[in-house]
Each structure stands twice: as C-alpha cells, then as structure tokens.
Amino acid sequence: MSTERSTNSPAAHPWKGRVAFVSGAASGIGFGLARVLASRGVRVAMSDVRREALDSACARLAAEGADVAPFVLDVADRAAFYATADAVEQRFGKVHYVFNNAGVGEVGTPLDQVPDRVFDWVIDVNLRGVFNGIKAFVPKLRRHGEGGHVVNVSSMAALVPDPGWHQGVYAATKMAVTALSLDLRLALAGTGIEVSILYPGLVRTDIAANVGALRPVAYDMPPETPALLAAADMPPETAAEIVLRGMERRAPLIVTHPLMWPVVAQFHDQVRAAFEAAP
Ligand SMILES: NC(=O)c1ccc[n+]([C@@H]2O[C@H](COP(=O)([O-])OP(=O)(O)OC[C@H]3O[C@@H](n4cnc5c(N)ncnc54)[C@H](O)[C@@H]3O)[C@@H](O)[C@H]2O)c1
C-alpha cells in the first residue's frame, strides 16, 4: 500500500481552526460559505453592509455552534475595509481565507438607459470592493507566511457576455474580477497563497430583493430580472460546498453549473471565428 498522501485530498486540507473573512455574508452564497466553512471548523468573520441582516445571520450560525463574529462594512469604502481587516485580525488572529463575495447585480436595462449612479454603484461594489478586499487582506496573509486562499466571486455573466438580455455593467465588473484574480495569482505564485475565481450559475438567493433595497436611486427592477432569478435552483450551501472542493484541489477557476459549458463555448466559437476570418 502506498504511504504517499495527496496534499490535495480533502482530509489533508487544514480547514479546522483556520480563520476566514467572507464579505456579503448576511445572505445567499456568502452565508452559505460561512455556514459550510464553520461546519469544517473554520472560524468566520462575517461581513456585510446590512447590519441587521448580518447580526441575525451571525446569530443563526452561532446558535449552530459556529465560531463567528459580525463586521459591518461597505466593501466600496477602502479605508473602512483596512480598518475591518485590522479588527478581524484582532478578534480572530491570523486570517487564512478571504472570500470577496459581496456583489450587486443589475441586469435587464439597455445600457444607454442605465442611470449613472447605478453604473457607479455596481462598479464600486463589484470591482472596487474586490480590489479593496485584496489590498486589505493579502499583505496580512503574506506577513504570517502560513499560506491561505483568496476566492473572488465572479459570475457566469463573465463567461457568457451576451446571453440575450442586458447585463453589460454587471458583466463588465465580473469580467474585471477575472482579470484582477489572474494577476493576483501571478503575484502570489510561490507564496503558498492560492487564488480562485468562482463563476456561479444561477444560485437561489435574495439578490433581487437585496439589490432593490441597496440601490442608490429608485429604479424599478426590470421584469426580466425576477423571472431570471426565479429559475435559480441551486441552494447556496451546495454552491459553497463546490467552492470548498475547488479550493481543496487548488483550482484557479471554479464553476457551479458545468451544464452551462455549451453556452460558454458559443462565445469561444465566436472568438475563434474572428481569428479564422482575420486577414
Ligand atoms: N445568485 C446568483 O445566481 C449569482 C450568480 C452569479 C454570481 N453571483 C454573485 O455571487 C455573489 C453573492 O450573491 P448572492 O446571490 O448571494 O446575493 P445576496 O444578495 O443574497 O448576497 C449578497 C450580500 O452582499 C451584501 N452587499 C451588497 N452590497 C454590499 C456592499 N457594498 N458591502 C458589503 N456587502 C454588500 C448584501 O447585503 C447581501 O447580503 C455576488 O457577487 C453575485 O454577483 C450570484
């Protein structure tokens, strides 16, 4: 019998006793991540911009025996992100896992009609928020030298840029998450800090209601959006389990819905056709 042990096997992954920071943890995928991490013995700093929702999400996991604490934060606020990272370290000690998950989705409005403030808001949360999370935590991970993992949450929207409804602003931010993450992976090569990009398909969350409550201007949710989200069938905890398995195998890219590949491939086919047609 071989005595060789794969460091990629789930049993070898040192989840227990480690510390995670999850943004957008009051709801949906972030809450699912916090819950599944806690079930692996990870201590979780749960963060969200919605104080009451965060407190109740945190209380719910604490009642299940999780070692969790709430940190109210708007990820778009860089100074507040730095202060939060310090506060998390003070409360839990060294942080190993960072999930830049908080995000807002605006789809269904033709690009030329998207209100300017909505454009700025989506960029601030989905793009600046991820950069801020990287800047706030990665120096701390580098400093302690115990290794770690940064997971940045993109979207299937980054891989299917033209699904037939309007999602230009949202997809632009999620494509940008790919670019930031690939560069971060290069920057951290050899440090023991992994970087993964998560591309969720439709996951059953309250994102439509949360976006409605958080958006900076009154603006009716386009009718396509609720219909689209009603089709979401995957529970957040299932998505979170897929993420953790991806982390265990050090996957640079993690997808939740493999059946989406033919749709993604259509765009790749367009790119190939453009190259083939080039003079
Ligand atoms: N649900 C899906 O089908 C789906 C698909 C693809 C990608 N995603 C992405 O997954 C991530 C999580 O989405 P979800 O569906 O769980 O949504 P959700 O609304 O259930 O959870 C997102 C959380 O982020 C918080 N948040 C929003 N703005 C914030 C800010 N400025 N600072 C801090 N927290 C903020 C919200 O309060 C909310 O609790 C997002 O980045 C989203 O774009 C979701």
Side-chain angles (χ1 to χ4, degrees):
M1 193 172 75
S2 165
T3 52
E4 211 173 83
R5 284 179 55 195
S6 163
T7 50
N8 285 343
S9 75
H13 202 93
W15 294 112
K16 197 168 167 45
R18 293 204 150 195
V19 175
F21 169 85
V22 183
S23 70
S27 171
I29 297 172
F31 180 77
L33 282 167
R35 188 179 220 171
V36 171
L37 286 162
S39 75
R40 300 273 210 286
V42 177
R43 304 155 69 215
V44 188
M46 297 174 65
S47 185
D48 206 282
V49 72
R50 295 178 303 124
R51 180 182 297 274
E52 275 181 28
L54 177 63
D55 285 343
S56 77
C58 205
R60 199 171 146 201
L61 292 193
E64 293 177 6
D67 187 355
V68 290
F71 296 84
V72 176
L73 168 71
D74 178 349
V75 294
D77 183 339
R78 188 165 300 150
F81 218 138
Y82 287 136
T84 297
D86 289 342
V88 169
E89 208 173 43
Q90 270 171 21
R91 166 68 173 77
F92 284 111
K94 296 168 190 162
V95 176
H96 303 90
Y97 308 125
V98 178
F99 296 85
N100 289 310
N101 163 75
V104 290
E106 284 285 355
V107 300
T109 304
L111 190 65
D112 59 315
Q113 292 157 45
V114 171
D116 293 351
R117 285 181 62 196
V118 168
F119 174 85
D120 292 343
W121 170 59
V122 177
I123 298 284
D124 281 348
V125 178
N126 292 7
L127 175 50
R128 282 180 205 280
V130 171
F131 180 71
N132 293 344
I134 290 166
K135 288 297 296 286
F137 277 104
V138 167
K140 293 182 183 302
L141 269 65
R142 278 188 188 270
R143 215 171 294 132
H144 67 58
E146 294 180 2
H149 209 127
V150 179
V151 178
N152 295 328
V153 179
S154 177
S155 168
M156 198 58 74
L159 302 177
V160 186
D162 178 17
W165 60 79
H166 303 286
Q167 60 168 15
V169 180
Y170 179 70
T173 62
K174 294 303 187 177
M175 287 173 156
V177 169
T178 295
L180 293 185
S181 306
L182 293 176
D183 195 37
L184 183 64
R185 195 171 168 82
L186 187 64
L188 295 177
T191 63
I193 305 167
E194 301 290 333
V195 179
S196 298
I197 314 166
L198 173 64
Y199 297 98
L202 287 176
V203 178
R204 199 187 315 130
T205 71
D206 290 332
I207 192 166
N210 294 333
V211 164
L214 289 167
R215 71 158 63 82
V217 289
Y219 172 58
D220 285 339
M221 181 69 78
E224 291 91 338
T225 309
L228 175 71
L229 291 168
D233 57 354
M234 178 178 281
E237 282 80 2
T238 304
E241 290 281 2
I242 292 169
V243 176
L244 267 58
R245 286 203 295 276
M247 292 168 71
E248 285 166 349
R249 58 173 207 278
R250 301 186 179 128
L253 317 179
I254 302 171
V255 299
T256 56
H257 290 63
L259 292 178
M260 289 294 290
W261 169 245
V263 187
V264 175
Q266 278 174 18
F267 184 65
H268 289 242
D269 289 345
Q270 280 183 41
V271 175
R272 190 186 3 243
F275 275 83
E276 284 168 0

